[in-house]
C-alpha cells in the first residue's frame, strides 16, 4: 500500500520501526512538480561566486547513525519549510538547514511517478510505499544509505534548479574521489551520480517559493536486494551500486583495505566527507544542532 504520514511530531526519540497510516492509492495534487532532464556541467567556481564576505549559516541535524522512519523525516522537513516561509515573509530567514540520517526500509515515489515501475502488488508491498511531492520516479531507502536533506533558500545561493542539481551531484562526486579514489561522473540526460552503469546516488527535490527540500541518497553499505523489486528511478538499462560494493570489487589506491572495514566505520568516514564537501560546495558554515532544539508541528 501507499501510505501518507498523519503523525504529530512532538519528539524524535524512540522511533517505531513501522507506522500505521491511511491508505493512499492516488497522488494528491501539488502546485509544483520539479524534475530535471537537462544536464549541464557544474562549475565549482559558481558555488563560491554567490557569497560575499561571511558565509551563510546552516544548522546541521546529524543523525547519520540513526534509522529514522520516512514519515517522521518527511513531516519534519515540511514543518521546517513552513517555518522558513514565515521567516522569509518578515525577512528573517537567516539560516539554512541540513538533515543527515538513514531510513528504515521504504519505497518512495515522486509526484508523477508511475506505478508501472513497481515489481510488486501495492496491496502486498514488501515495505511501506510513500508518494511524495518531490520530482523523479521510484527509489528505495534503507539501512546503510546516507540521506541528506538540505533545506536551502536558493535566493541566497543560485535561483537555478539545474545549478542546484549539479551542485548536489558535485558533493557526492567529490566525496567519492577524495575519500575513496572512486572516479564518479554524471550521465547526460539523467540526474544522480554514476560509476559506469551503476548509480550510487539518487537525487530528488522539491522547491517551493525558492526553498528547496528533499535531497540526495548515497548507497554506502546498503543491501541492494530491495532495488530488484522496482525499476530504480524508472531507468531500465542501468543498475545501482554502493561504495562498499565498489571497494570490494576494485583495488583502489586510497581505498585499498577499506572493504575490510566494519559497516559502521565506512558509514562514519563517508558521512564526515559528505558534510565537509557539502559545506564547501554550498559555501555554508555548518553549526551542529541538537535534536531537542527543534519545535515540531504536523507535517
Amino acid at each position: 500500500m501507499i501510505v501518507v504520514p498523519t503523525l504529530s511530531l512532538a519528539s524524535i526519540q524512540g522511533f517505531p520501526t513501522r507506522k500505521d497510516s491511511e491508505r493512499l492509492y492516488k497522488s494528491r495534487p501539488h502546485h509544483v512538480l520539479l524534475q530535471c532532464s537537462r544536464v549541464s556541467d557544474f562549475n565549482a567556481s559558481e558555488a563560491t561566486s554567490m557569497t560575499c564576505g561571511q558565509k551563510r549559516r546552516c544548522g546541521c541535524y546529524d543523525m547519520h547513525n540513526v534509522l529514522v522512519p520516512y514519515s517522521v523525516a518527511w513531516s519534519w522537513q515540511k514543518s521546517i519549510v513552513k517555518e522558513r516561509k514565515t521567516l522569509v515573509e518578515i525577512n528573517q530567514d537567516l539560516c539554512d538547514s541540513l538533515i543527515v540520517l538513514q531510513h528504515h526500509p521504504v519505497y518512495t515515489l515522486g509526484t508523477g511517478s508511475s506505478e508501472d515501475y513497481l515489481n510488486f502488488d501495492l496491496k502486498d508491498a514488501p515495505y511501506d510505499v510513500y508518494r511524495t511531492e518531490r520530482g523523479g520516479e521510484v527509489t528505495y531507502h534503507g539501512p546503510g544509505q546516507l540521506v541528506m536533506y538540505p533545506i536551502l533558500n536558493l535566493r541566497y545561493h543560485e535561483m537555478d534548479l539545474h545549478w542546484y542539481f549539479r551542485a548536489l551531484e558535485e558533493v557526492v562526486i567529490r566525496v567519492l574521489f577524495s575519500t575513496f579514489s572512486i572516479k564518479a561522473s554524471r550521465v547526460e540526460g539523467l540526474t544522480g551520480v554514476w560509476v559506469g552503469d551503476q548509480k550510487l546516488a539518487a537525487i530528488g527535490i522539491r522547491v517551493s517559493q525558492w526553498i528547496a527540500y528533499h535531497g540526495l541518497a548515497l548507497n554506502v553499505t546498503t543491501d541492494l536486494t530491495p532495488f530488484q523489486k522496482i525499476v530504480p528511478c524508472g531507468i531500465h538499462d542501468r543498475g545501482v551500486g554502493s561504495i562498499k560494493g565498489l571497494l570490494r570489487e576494485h583495488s583502489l589506491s586510497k581505498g585499498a583495505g577499506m572493504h575490510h572495514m566494519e559497516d559502521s566505520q565506512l558509514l562514519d568516514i563517508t558521512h564526515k566527507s559528505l558534510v565537509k564537501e557539502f559545506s564547501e560546495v554550498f559555501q555554508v558554515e555548518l553549526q551542529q544542532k541538537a535534536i531537542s532544539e527543534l519545535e515540531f508541528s504536523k507535517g
Side-chain angles (χ1 to χ4, degrees), residues 33 108-111 132-139 204-206 214:
L33 169 63
T108 68
L109 297 86
T111 301
T132 76
E133 68 275 66
R134 65 165 174 79
E137 292 291 344
V138 63
T139 194
I205 67 168
R206 171 159 170 109
H214 291 284

Side-chain angles (χ1 to χ4, degrees), residues 13-288:
Q13 303 299 322
F15 297 125
T17 57
R18 298 289 287 264
K19 188 71 182 178
D20 293 333
S21 306
E22 67 182 17
R23 295 192 180 194
L24 178 67
Y25 292 98
K26 197 172 184 181
S27 62
R28 294 180 175 178
H30 298 285
H31 66 280
V32 177
L33 169 63
L34 294 172
Q35 298 186 45
C36 181
S37 57
R38 180 177 66 84
V39 174
S40 60
D41 291 334
F42 177 82
N43 185 340
S45 64
E46 294 177 0
T48 59
S49 64
M50 70 193 77
T51 58
C52 295
Q54 189 174 6
K55 293 182 179 180
R56 182 166 168 81
R57 292 182 295 118
C58 182
C60 181
Y61 300 97
D62 183 4
M63 296 178 292
H64 77 278
N65 56 356
V66 179
L67 293 177
V68 181
Y70 187 83
S71 58
V72 173
W74 187 17
S75 293
W76 183 9
Q77 288 184 78
K78 289 187 288 187
S79 69
I80 294 175
V81 170
K82 182 179 179 180
E83 179 183 2
R84 295 280 298 282
K85 287 180 179 179
T86 300
L87 292 172
V88 167
E89 292 177 357
I90 59 175
N91 199 30
Q92 291 296 315
D93 186 32
L94 305 177
C95 182
D96 288 322
S97 304
L98 175 65
I99 301 170
V100 187
L101 46 73
Q102 299 178 54
H103 284 306
H104 292 285
V106 65
Y107 293 112
T108 68
L109 297 86
T111 301
S113 294
S114 172
E115 294 175 8
D116 292 340
Y117 296 129
L118 305 178
N119 299 327
F120 54 81
D121 187 337
L122 273 171
K123 295 180 180 180
D124 189 30
Y127 306 114
D128 283 343
V129 181
Y130 289 88
R131 185 176 290 279
T132 76
E133 68 275 66
R134 65 165 174 79
E137 292 291 344
V138 63
T139 194
Y140 165 78
H141 298 301
Q145 181 190 78
L146 289 177
V147 180
M148 296 184 75
Y149 292 130
I151 304 175
L152 305 182
N153 186 338
L154 296 183
R155 296 177 184 85
Y156 296 98
H157 299 276
E158 285 281 331
M159 295 170 68
D160 181 333
L161 302 184
H162 297 292
W163 174 88
Y164 184 51
F165 276 101
R166 305 293 78 80
L168 290 174
E169 291 166 349
E170 183 71 12
V171 171
V172 177
I173 289 171
R174 291 185 182 190
V175 167
L176 294 175
F177 185 74
S178 65
T179 307
F180 304 107
S181 293
I182 295 174
K183 294 183 178 180
S185 63
R186 301 174 178 88
V187 173
E188 184 177 358
L190 302 174
T191 58
V193 176
W194 305 78
V195 176
D197 288 337
Q198 297 182 44
K199 189 173 190 176
L200 266 68
I203 296 173
I205 67 168
R206 171 159 170 109
V207 177
S208 179
Q209 298 177 28
W210 289 110
I211 296 179
Y213 62 114
H214 291 284
L216 69 85
L218 173 61
N219 296 324
V220 183
T221 63
T222 322
D223 176 7
L224 303 179
T225 305
F227 284 101
Q228 298 173 9
K229 297 287 187 178
I230 61 174
V231 180
C233 302
I235 304 171
H236 286 280
D237 58 348
R238 293 175 180 268
V240 293
S242 69
I243 293 175
K244 182 179 180 179
L246 288 176
L247 293 178
R248 184 171 55 242
E249 293 172 9
H250 305 286
S251 176
L252 303 173
S253 57
K254 288 186 179 179
M258 284 191 177
H259 63 283
H260 295 302
M261 283 187 177
E262 295 290 334
D263 285 2
S264 59
Q265 292 178 291
L266 193 53
L267 283 163
D268 286 344
I269 290 172
T270 306
H271 157 262
K272 182 178 180 180
S273 184
L274 268 174
V275 171
K276 172 180 177 292
E277 299 298 349
F278 175 86
S279 65
E280 292 184 359
V281 169
F282 287 96
Q283 287 293 288
V284 293
E285 179 185 349
L286 290 178
Q287 299 178 340
Q288 297 299 319

